Amino acid sequence: MKVAAVQMTSTREVAANLREAGRLVAEAAAQGAKLVVLPENFSFLGATDADRVAAIERSGDGPAQQFLAETAESLGLWIVGGTIPIRDAGRDAGGRAMQGAIADGDGAGRASSRSLLVGPDGRVAAHYDKIHLFDVDIPGRATERYSESATTLAGTRVVAASTPFARIGMTVCYDIRFPALFHRLSVLGTDVVVVPAAFTVPTGEVHWRPLLQARAIESLVYVVAAGQWGEHAGGRKTYGHSLILGPWGELLAELPAGPGVVCADLDMIRLAELRQRFPTVAHRREL
């Protein structure tokens, strides 16, 4: 199975971002990829909270969601749609508040940072709302501060979805610092973990690859990490280095800089054999 990670330099212009994403996904398809992962904030990356609020889509309705459905169907691909700011319509049939819905007084601009897994039929097979939100001051960068929770609702569900070729575990960016999430995904039988990201440059330079390698090795999974790269609105800079790792932590492919596509073949038979010979996941004990 061939997979691809798409690297982008997204802006606050949704239409332009979707055109660029479409070009790169088509390039990945031409190289034979059957699963394509877009980066975090692929459809929109603005400078202010107000920018993000303006880009919020309703669940099931919006240009980014339409793009994913149409592109997956037209190219016959599985696509992981990075993240989109999505707000659910309200309450479910039982009257319970839905994750991502905005209740009165709950901060009128907040929505879920949602990653969609869309199948070749154009339908959403699974969705994951980012659990760990990036509320940090970057060490050594007094002016580089992030407060993702100001505009984003944290997710609560761990998501692993079945496809014809592998079981896909869904994560986003900052999640890679929290091994318990990956442990749970391994318990759910995950074969491939996808990581759409917009990693900062200072942290990316020291932590991006080692954290991803640790997560791959711990859970004996393939990792497909698609990043933003370059300078964005407001001067924010992202690290890039989109990569694909094997379950032994080995680097299969990497795109250090610039928009583009990186592909690799995943050997699911080798994965099964490795897990049989080196059954660390089965050996785990709850402490």
Side-chain angles (χ1 to χ4, degrees):
M1 178 187 68
K2 181 167 283 188
V3 300
V6 169
Q7 188 158 286
M8 297 178 63
T9 307
S10 295
T11 71
R12 55 162 61 100
E13 300 296 330
V14 173
N17 294 332
L18 296 182
R19 286 194 298 271
E20 175 71 350
R23 180 184 72 82
L24 293 170
V25 172
E27 182 179 326
Q31 294 184 43
K34 297 301 181 184
L35 171 69
V36 180
V37 182
L38 288 162
E40 185 178 19
N41 303 318
F42 78 98
S43 63
F44 168 83
L45 189 52
T48 67
D49 292 345
D51 286 341
R52 185 176 187 278
V53 169
I56 289 174
E57 299 185 7
R58 291 284 180 179
S59 180
D61 179 29
Q65 295 169 85
Q66 182 179 359
F67 162 81
L68 292 174
E70 293 177 351
T71 304
E73 187 171 16
S74 66
L75 295 174
L77 297 174
W78 289 83
I79 300 179
V80 176
T83 60
I84 306 167
I86 291 180
R87 184 181 299 162
D88 288 318
R91 296 181 178 274
D92 63 17
R96 296 177 294 272
M98 294 172 61
Q99 182 179 356
I102 301 297
D104 291 341
D106 191 27
R110 295 204 296 163
S112 299
S113 184
R114 182 163 297 175
S115 184
L116 302 177
L117 175 63
V118 180
D121 59 359
R123 297 183 180 181
V124 176
H127 76 266
Y128 166 72
D129 293 341
K130 185 177 183 181
I131 291 174
H132 300 100
L133 302 184
F134 196 52
D135 291 351
V136 303
D137 296 344
I138 300 298
R141 304 287 184 102
T143 61
E144 195 166 356
R145 297 180 175 180
Y146 298 89
S147 181
E148 193 172 20
S149 63
T151 57
T152 303
L153 294 172
T156 59
R157 295 171 53 248
V158 178
V159 178
S162 295
T163 71
F165 43 79
R167 190 157 175 81
I168 308 298
M170 303 182 72
T171 73
V172 174
C173 200
Y174 191 47
D175 283 334
I176 68 173
R177 294 185 180 276
F178 301 91
L181 171 58
F182 289 76
H183 168 70
R184 182 59 186 160
L185 286 171
S186 69
V187 169
L188 294 174
T190 294
D191 304 305
V192 180
V193 173
V194 295
V195 188
F199 233 68
T200 67
V201 171
T203 56
E205 290 174 340
V206 290
H207 294 156
W208 172 247
R209 188 189 292 187
L211 283 171
L212 290 169
Q213 287 178 310
R215 302 294 85 84
I217 293 166
E218 288 165 350
S219 297
L220 290 179
V221 293
Y222 286 101
V223 171
V224 184
Q228 292 281 349
W229 171 86
E231 187 166 343
H232 310 272
R236 177 178 178 178
K237 295 180 180 179
T238 49
Y239 182 60
H241 290 77
S242 297
L243 53 78
I244 301 170
L245 298 173
W248 210 239
E250 70 274 29
L251 181 66
L252 301 179
E254 183 179 23
L255 178 61
V261 175
V262 60
C263 295
D265 290 305
L266 308 190
D267 186 342
M268 307 312 293
I269 295 175
R270 172 178 174 264
L271 176 63
E273 292 174 345
L274 179 61
R275 288 174 167 177
Q276 185 175 25
R277 296 199 312 268
F278 204 79
T280 55
V281 173
H283 290 165
R284 284 178 180 161
R285 298 292 180 265
E286 297 296 333
L287 301 177

